[in-house]
Amino acid sequence: MAKIPLFTPRKAAASALAEIKQVAAPGAFQQPVRVWRVLVVDDEEEIHTVTKLVLRNFEFEGRNLVLLHANSATEARDHLTNYKDIAVVLLDVVMESDQAGLDLVREIRGPMKNTDVRIVLRTGQPGQAPEESVIRTYDINDYKNKTELTSIKLKTLLYAALRSYRDICLLHAQRQGLELTLDALSAVSHLRSLDRFTSAVLQQLVSLISYHDQAMYFNVASAFAQGEGGPEYRLLASSGMGEVAGEVSERTLLAQLITPEADAMMRQALAAKRSITDEHHFVGYFKTRAGSENLLYLSNVAELTEFDHRLLHIYCKNVAFAFENLQMQEEVEDSQRELIYMLGEAVEMRSKETGNHVKRMALVAELLAQKYGLEATDIEIIRHASPLHDLGKMGIPDEILNKPAQHTPEEREIMRTHARIGFDMLNSSDKRMLKVGAIIAHEHHEHWDGNGYPRGLKGEQIHIAARIAALADVCDALGSKRVYKEAWQHEDIVNFIRERSGLQFDPDLVTLLLDNMDAVREIRQRFPD
């Protein structure tokens, strides 16, 4: 029999959400500048004065000009270090040395690794640095003699340089946005929990656009499922909405979060089947191939650029697809878990053992798996696979299964076959949960000392999932009434389990169980027979 590897103890690794926050840390996405910074580098004070006078009312694409001044290459280096968004450098060649400006060009493009800034050389001594030689040798964008720079020519030069810088920034932003979007989608795509997924989605959204105000992300119920009151929203995630006092229902939560203004805009987006915006709000509308509708609501978005809107649309549309796939996957898995519980309960009913035994047993198994330190996914699998431990009893005749008296040796051997029957029923599946269920069914009657059945496994030869399920099963079964016995008292259960430690049960698991008997009793109180 091929055996599934033992579950491994939980690693001290960062959670998936921590990985996501690292992918989209605040500031990871560089926004376009809101002003144009131009650095004037010249050792003649008159040049600074004239440049300031000519450009005093200069504006390009609705953004003002901010002039920075340096009288030497040394001062210019400080400005370039302090301001990463300088668009244009108007640079003199001859300052503290004949080559000071040219040396600064090499430093800007080399050690500083600034290939975005547009560099325009201005010289009053063209003989010191011949134009053709300088343009060929140095990574500059223009070369001007100071005597030819009239007011109109200086402005024309600046318009051309700023357009070039703007286009370079836009290309960088698009590339960064694409890379970050792909990283973000990759980061959230492996999350298998809808709650964790939607929290990660909003974290990515606000990080992509450096947005830190109110945000809500909704899935909208299909028109078929909506009531008479209009659209029904499912809040997937929210940010910047403040604290909600106490535990409230989803309906109450939505009533607190969705203002009449937000509701009106979201209804408008749903009716128009498109994203809409006004001076202060943005509602993104995204529809998947399967018809699922999703809305992103942002308030106070006056500073979002056209590029921000495009990025939001592309990102949210893809997130909607990912959410839909994850939702379908979770629905399938929920159905599988429910069917497993129903199978376990069917076995109990056939054994005339009604109540919540399989539910309690699964929760006790989950508790033990947590205390033992298993991985979260392994804990979940144990919880949902444990109810299948007695599935093989479906193959045991009623007169033996429900016999109120002690079994004969022959009947006992037939009864013991349920372990192998359960294994054979489940092991053909390629689903991990059912594979683990097969192991539990096969090994939950094995004993730590090797005196169990059907194979006489000993110690850690018994799968940890089976060891956990066996202890959880006996602990709860002893406290439940059966056709062949009355329910035991709590103290008698504790004494029996302690006596069987190291014989029937894993002693480490017994210690964990006895240390947490209050939690076990609370589970029984929550789900009584």
Side-chain angles (χ1 to χ4, degrees):
M1 178 186 69
K3 187 157 183 167
I4 299 176
L6 295 179
F7 295 149
T8 54
R10 183 161 45 238
K11 300 180 180 68
S15 68
L17 285 178
E19 296 172 15
I20 289 163
K21 290 176 182 177
Q22 183 178 7
V23 171
F29 186 73
Q30 183 177 355
Q31 289 292 302
V33 293
R34 302 304 179 188
V35 295
W36 304 109
R37 300 187 195 277
V38 175
L39 175 60
V40 182
V41 187
D42 204 296
D43 60 353
E44 296 181 43
E45 192 59 39
E46 302 82 29
I47 297 296
H48 291 277
T49 302
V50 171
T51 303
K52 189 186 300 182
L53 182 65
V54 170
L55 301 176
R56 65 184 182 279
N57 296 319
F58 186 90
E59 185 180 283
F60 176 61
E61 292 191 346
R63 300 180 193 175
N64 295 324
L65 198 69
V66 173
L67 291 179
L68 304 173
H69 297 275
N71 295 313
S72 65
T74 302
E75 291 181 17
R77 289 187 190 93
D78 292 337
H79 283 302
L80 289 161
T81 301
N82 294 331
Y83 297 98
K84 301 300 183 183
D85 59 352
I86 293 175
V88 182
V89 176
L90 301 176
L91 179 60
D92 190 14
V93 176
V94 181
M95 291 179 288
E96 57 263 58
S97 71
D98 291 347
Q99 294 282 318
L102 299 178
D103 292 340
L104 181 60
V105 171
R106 280 202 177 97
E107 191 168 350
I108 292 172
R109 301 304 194 203
M112 291 186 180
K113 297 181 179 179
N114 187 341
T115 59
D116 297 347
V117 63
R118 304 295 84 193
I119 301 175
V120 179
L121 284 183
R122 297 195 301 181
T123 180
Q125 305 175 48
Q128 291 289 113
E131 180 175 351
E132 182 180 353
S133 173
V134 169
I135 291 177
R136 182 177 64 247
T137 306
Y138 294 88
D139 185 1
I140 64 173
N141 305 102
D142 209 342
Y143 182 104
K144 298 293 182 184
N145 192 325
K146 292 180 183 179
T147 58
E148 66 176 304
L149 274 179
T150 62
S151 173
I152 188 63
K153 286 188 176 181
L154 179 58
K155 291 179 180 178
T156 300
L157 179 152
L158 210 53
Y159 281 126
L162 289 176
R163 284 193 182 97
S164 177
Y165 178 76
R166 174 205 62 194
D167 293 343
I168 289 172
C169 286
L170 184 59
L171 287 173
H172 283 324
Q174 289 174 339
R175 178 180 56 80
Q176 284 182 288
L178 178 60
E179 289 175 355
L180 192 55
T181 300
L182 292 174
D183 287 343
L185 289 172
S186 174
V188 300
S189 65
H190 73 284
L191 298 181
R192 299 174 64 85
S193 160
L194 283 176
D195 292 338
R196 297 179 71 196
F197 176 85
T198 51
S199 297
V201 165
L202 204 65
Q203 172 70 33
Q204 293 293 354
L205 286 175
V206 298
S207 297
L208 282 172
I209 58 173
S210 297
Y211 173 80
H212 301 289
D213 212 281
Q214 294 182 342
M216 293 183 288
Y217 193 50
F218 299 95
N219 176 252
V220 185
S222 66
F224 178 77
Q226 290 177 16
E228 296 180 358
E232 292 186 7
Y233 305 117
R234 178 182 180 186
L235 181 66
L236 304 183
S238 63
S239 175
M241 309 305 294
E243 294 294 327
V244 178
E247 293 186 8
V248 297
S249 66
E250 184 169 1
R251 186 178 297 275
T252 302
L253 177 64
L254 291 176
Q256 293 183 28
L257 296 182
I258 302 177
T259 64
E261 186 176 26
D263 184 49
M265 286 196 69
M266 290 194 291
R267 287 173 182 261
Q268 183 181 347
L270 285 170
K273 305 294 183 186
R274 62 178 176 82
S275 300
I276 61 173
T277 186
D278 61 17
E279 292 182 357
H280 303 291
H281 308 87
F282 169 81
V283 176
Y285 173 86
F286 315 102
K287 188 172 183 178
T288 66
R289 290 182 294 269
S292 175
E293 294 179 300
N294 296 267
L295 296 175
L296 170 69
Y297 173 82
L298 303 177
S299 63
N300 299 325
V301 292
E303 294 189 0
L304 288 182
T305 66
E306 182 183 352
F307 177 71
D308 291 333
H309 286 286
R310 291 203 306 271
L311 189 59
L312 279 171
H313 183 79
I314 293 171
Y315 182 79
C316 289
K317 188 173 182 180
N318 282 279
V319 163
F321 291 144
F323 171 79
E324 184 178 60
N325 292 334
L326 186 59
Q327 188 177 39
M328 292 174 63
Q329 175 182 312
E330 188 162 279
E331 286 179 0
V332 170
E333 291 178 352
D334 284 344
S335 297
Q336 291 175 340
R337 296 183 190 110
E338 189 171 346
L339 285 171
I340 287 173
Y341 272 115
M342 291 172 67
L343 282 172
E345 290 174 352
V347 173
E348 293 291 297
M349 292 176 67
R350 184 167 179 270
S351 303
K352 302 190 186 307
E353 297 168 356
T354 58
N356 284 312
H357 169 63
V358 292
K359 188 172 294 183
R360 292 192 302 266
M361 179 252 187
L363 292 174
V364 174
E366 179 185 37
L367 174 67
L368 287 173
Q370 288 172 343
K371 298 301 180 181
Y372 193 76
L374 297 183
E375 296 277 5
T377 53
D378 296 336
I379 294 170
E380 183 181 8
I381 287 174
I382 285 179
R383 173 183 173 181
H384 295 296
S386 294
L388 296 171
H389 65 290
D390 275 339
L391 185 63
K393 288 182 178 180
M394 300 290 285
I396 304 299
D398 284 346
E399 59 271 19
I400 297 176
L401 183 65
N402 296 316
K403 184 178 180 179
Q406 195 173 30
H407 289 127
T408 65
E410 294 78 11
E411 289 171 339
R412 189 180 302 115
E413 288 304 313
I414 294 173
M415 190 67 181
R416 286 185 171 188
T417 61
H418 81 275
R420 181 69 196 191
I421 293 171
F423 173 77
D424 290 339
M425 292 172 68
L426 296 169
N427 193 49
S428 60
S429 173
D430 60 355
K431 304 301 180 187
R432 191 176 180 214
M433 191 177 296
L434 296 182
K435 283 285 189 184
V436 174
I439 291 174
I440 291 173
H442 203 202
E443 300 181 11
H444 73 288
H445 283 294
E446 302 286 359
H447 289 186
W448 184 259
D449 62 2
N451 290 320
Y453 68 87
R455 294 181 295 154
L457 300 180
K458 183 177 181 179
E460 292 189 356
Q461 291 178 336
I462 309 166
H463 198 292
I464 182 59
R467 283 181 269 151
I468 287 172
L471 182 55
D473 179 35
V474 171
C475 177
D476 188 76
L478 290 176
S480 303
K481 184 178 179 180
R482 293 289 187 261
V483 294
Y484 52 85
K485 75 171 187 67
E486 294 296 324
W488 287 25
Q489 295 298 313
H490 177 75
E491 293 75 12
D492 295 331
I493 296 173
V494 170
N495 290 334
F496 176 81
I497 290 174
R498 184 178 287 118
E499 290 171 0
R500 300 299 294 169
S501 177
L503 300 174
Q504 183 173 350
F505 306 120
D506 180 339
D508 290 338
L509 291 175
V510 169
T511 300
L512 294 174
L513 179 69
L514 297 181
D515 287 345
N516 292 276
M517 284 304 288
D518 288 342
V520 173
R521 296 181 77 173
E522 192 273 333
I523 290 171
R524 175 168 287 279
Q525 290 169 2
R526 276 170 37 204
F527 301 100
D529 289 329

